[in-house]
Amino acid sequence: MPRHSIASAMIPARPPLVVGVLRGKREESTHQIHAVIARDDGSLVAWHGDPQRQTFPRSAVKSIQALALLESGAADRFGFTPAELALACSSHAGTPLHVETARSMLDKAGFEPEALECGAHWPLEEASARALARLGDEPCQLHNNCSGKHAGFLAVARHLGLDPAGYVAPDHPVQKRVTATLAEVCGVRLSSANRGTDGCSIPTYAMPLSSLATGFARIGTGASLSAARQAAFERLRRAVADHPLVIAGPGRFDSRVTATCGPRVFLKSGAEGVLCAAIPEAGLGIALKAEDGALRGSEVAMAEMLLKLLPTPTTEERALLNELRVPSLKNWQGKHVGFLGMILTSHH
Amino acid sequence: MPRHSIASAMIPARPPLVVGVLRGKREESTHQIHAVIARDDGSLVAWHGDPQRQTFPRSAVKSIQALALLESGAADRFGFTPAELALACSSHAGTPLHVETARSMLDKAGFEPEALECGAHWPLEEASARALARLGDEPCQLHNNCSGKHAGFLAVARHLGLDPAGYVAPDHPVQKRVTATLAEVCGVRLSSANRGTDGCSIPTYAMPLSSLATGFARIGTGASLSAARQAAFERLRRAVADHPLVIAGPGRFDSRVTATCGPRVFLKSGAEGVLCAAIPEAGLGIALKAEDGALRGSEVAMAEMLLKLLPTPTTEERALLNELRVPSLKNWQGKHVGFLGMILTSHH
């Protein structure tokens, strides 16, 4: 049994972090955030809330799900570019950049967009959604924020000579491989007992938040991973750092932090308020989950944590994180009417 | 000092209601809901969480803010229809119905849309937003979900011979009158100390959740209100009951409950998870506030409460409320992947 499982079974819950939404000078709403900071050996550096909280990582683990693409050899066989690798790790905004990158991945692997089983939704970025409507178009599966990840799954299926149909099902060989890899990196057992279905139809597996933090520490340091897996993560981290807009979109938290911090922070959000990060040079992984699912709360907490944990941040890093830890609340006229921020409690 | 203020100062907080978001069979996120059920004399029938919680009512009190329109005589002078009165109480979806009703109100009172000071945003209803984009148009202030309320404010200013410019400011005579009425109906003191700015630029005043519940009980029964005010609320309640789509939009919780329950339930949501209702025949007011601001949580709690508190619900009412208390969670393929529902705790 890995060390952290034994240790974490004895870890008591503490009060969660609290992020307040202030309108004028009054607290209008609050978010409770579970937070774990872990090392790559599974030991915990600090935590708030319940470090054992069973948490669906959702899209936060896309980089781990993308490992199969590199480890199988599919990415090299089809000549995927760094931007395409970044898109496989991305929850994208559906801008033309994202859509064309996904289309290129499918082209290279010999698929039509119809092969994607993620479902369609309007681009998350307003301007792209409006532009599509203006053309009289409807969104297709390429616009789905997960289309890059799914294009990667299809490429793996093609490369391994598998029937791609139904590649989203838990018992399809592609998902079996992806799930096994996720279990290895995070050091957990994953089974149908902790399985749910994600928004894009693939399985998502609940795991303790501490395991998610440990997994992210390992993404950063490569500890306990094979040399090939270390190299794969390095390649993905570099691809994401070089293409910050690809992993989310204009103005989005993930893209802004990545654009400013580059390879120093590897960060990814997931639905329902999950937000994870690796700080490779500090050997740390961070996993956050807003109890209520509100990403706005997790983002504030993550900005605070990065400000504390990033070794000697640059002026630009400090400026960005200081902005993101107290985001302004604006009304429809664009007037500042309040802000979000961490509420200090007696613990730390 | 009104009776309920004295009483409520001694009311202890209890555990809040908890609404769970279940993915597969696992709890993914939870919402804590403060809830108060009050009578029109300010006495509390039941509560969960903190009944004293200072809460910005936001759009939940639009019907109270619309009283000035009737009590000043502006609505009759300008010949506002029941649909127009309903729009003054509405947080609408920006469909053509809503936009044209707001335009008609402005026409009757002699204003151009530019006189509205609520700011513009894309219609909340997707189909209307896409249709607008398809025409190459941009949204204007008529599309703002608060445009009916604001058209009402302008009509009051015109009728009273006031300069309408700056009608959103706390010290404009229209807002002073609206604030005084809100304080009277809810039995609270409102001052700059508990003031914030709402999304549509008008002031919003934090008050104890119990006062908000009391105010809604009075909207339903008319108790402690002047005969003229009772009549005004009756007229507004009837207008809303007869125009359920006007107060929100297709598929929205407020519109669905109103369409099915008619005058038996007078219900209104506000931003940041506020949801209030009057059940006139039971003499009750309900005020809910999700601690985290998530309306999806308050809607589930409200459906549960209405199911319990509505005297002898019809088959249709029961069917709708049973659907709304356990809404399905669907993925992008439209597949059912979970649901929301109240989590039973040891208290009730």
Side-chain angles (χ1 to χ4, degrees), chain A residues 325-336:
Chain A
R325 76 188 182 90
V326 283
S328 175
L329 204 64
K330 295 196 191 307
N331 72 9
W332 297 117
Q333 295 274 28
K335 206 177 108 182
H336 172 86

Side-chain angles (χ1 to χ4, degrees), chain A residues 87-99:
Chain A
L87 197 76
C89 303
S90 140
S91 296
H92 67 72
T95 71
L97 165 73
H98 299 115
V99 170

Side-chain angles (χ1 to χ4, degrees), chain B residues 100-180:
Chain B
E100 292 318 313
T101 305
R103 198 191 303 276
S104 166
M105 293 174 76
L106 292 175
D107 281 349
K108 289 177 176 178
F111 288 99
E112 296 296 322
E114 291 69 32
L116 294 169
E117 298 180 5
C118 49
H121 63 73
W122 286 90
L124 298 181
E125 194 213 28
E126 281 291 303
S128 296
R130 305 308 168 204
L132 199 64
R134 206 158 279 144
L135 294 170
D137 276 354
E138 293 286 324
C140 70
Q141 298 183 314
L142 289 172
H143 298 93
N144 186 302
N145 74 87
C146 302
S147 65
K149 177 178 72 178
H150 281 249
F153 290 150
L154 282 170
V156 171
R158 173 72 28 105
H159 179 61
L160 298 177
L162 301 165
D163 180 0
Y167 71 87
V168 296
D171 57 354
H172 187 281
V174 168
Q175 292 308 326
K176 278 188 172 172
R177 179 174 179 146
V178 166
T179 303

